């Protein structure tokens, strides 16, 4: 019997494309580089950032993204929280994160500054390959209807989530 399970909100990346059946977009997010407040590094472009010590966490899609983009000095931590601590403490200079996560952390008073955009990726339901195609089609149709009526924007706004610029 096929497993009928999905996870959300998952970033649709080339590495994940064939491992799941997708229903999207729940949201389109940007991966940005952030730095600690006052570091003077927020204005770096991608090429200049490649020469800095960048941290991320193991098994996150940004680990592969940074390597593919040619970042040479990538410090990989066990988890997101450890990477943030390293950034705030000055043990790394930059780290990638979702723009929506950055805005949440900024609202909570974490001393960070936004830098350059690394990538834009759709987030959606990543469903097990055993989920029937008819169910995926039904889920996609429901999401498309929600988007076309403006319902998705209203739901996002009710949670204080802004669409990326």
């Amino acid at each position: 019997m096929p497993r009928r399970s999905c996870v959300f909100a998952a970033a649709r990346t080339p590495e994940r494309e064939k491992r799941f059946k997708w229903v999207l977009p729940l949201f389109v997010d940007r991966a940005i580089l952030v730095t600690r407040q006052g570091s003077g590094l927020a204005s770096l472009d991608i090429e200049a950032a490649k020469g800095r010590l960048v941290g991320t966490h193991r098994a996150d899609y940004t680990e592969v993204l940074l390597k593919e983009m040619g970042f040479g000095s990538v410090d990989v931590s066990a988890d997101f929280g450890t990477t943030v601590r390293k950034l705030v403490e000055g043990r790394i200079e930059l780290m990638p994160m979702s723009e929506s996560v950055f805005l949440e952390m900024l609202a909570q008073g974490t001393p960070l500054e936004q830098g350059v955009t690394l990538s834009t990726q759709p987030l959606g339901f990543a469903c097990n390959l055993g989920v029937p195609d008819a169910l995926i089609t039904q889920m996609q149709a429901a999401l498309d209807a929600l988007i076309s009526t403006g319902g998705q924007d209203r739901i996002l706004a009710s949670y204080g989530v802004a669409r990326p610029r």
Side-chain angles (χ1 to χ4, degrees):
M1 180 150 159
R3 262 186 95 180
R4 292 185 182 201
S5 60
C6 302
V7 296
F8 72 96
R12 186 179 192 180
T13 64
E15 300 78 31
R16 294 176 177 172
E17 182 66 32
K18 293 184 180 186
R19 295 176 56 208
F20 301 98
K21 292 181 181 180
W22 294 92
V23 177
L24 13 88
L26 290 175
F27 187 68
V28 177
D29 202 13
R30 295 187 317 147
I32 58 173
L33 279 179
V34 300
T35 187
R36 117 183 142 275
Q37 203 169 54
S39 71
L41 302 176
S43 62
L44 293 179
D45 64 17
I46 291 286
E47 289 308 310
K50 287 178 183 178
R52 300 302 203 158
L53 180 57
V54 180
T56 190
H57 51 290
R58 194 170 329 287
D60 188 68
Y61 78 95
T62 59
E63 182 180 2
V64 172
L65 179 65
L66 291 168
K67 290 176 183 172
E68 286 177 349
M69 293 181 77
F71 283 79
S73 298
V74 178
D75 177 273
V76 180
S77 298
D79 56 48
F80 181 81
T82 301
T83 307
V84 171
R85 277 191 304 281
K86 285 181 176 182
L87 182 65
V88 171
E89 293 169 0
R91 294 168 40 207
I92 59 173
E93 297 176 287
L94 300 161
M95 81 174 279
M97 71 175 60
S98 162
E99 182 181 40
S100 57
V101 171
F102 165 76
L103 294 172
E104 280 180 34
M105 294 183 78
L106 206 58
Q108 294 169 2
T110 310
L112 301 175
E113 291 181 47
Q114 179 173 340
V116 67
T117 298
L118 287 175
S119 69
T120 302
Q121 62 279 334
L123 303 180
F125 290 99
C127 298
N128 183 288
L129 294 175
V131 174
D133 290 342
L135 183 55
I136 297 294
T137 300
Q138 187 178 13
M139 291 170 64
Q140 187 65 60
L143 179 59
D144 291 345
L146 188 64
I147 292 168
S148 71
T149 62
Q152 184 184 50
D153 287 337
R154 287 189 297 277
I155 291 168
L156 291 173
S158 73
Y159 287 96
V161 176
R163 287 193 170 273
R165 294 171 254 145

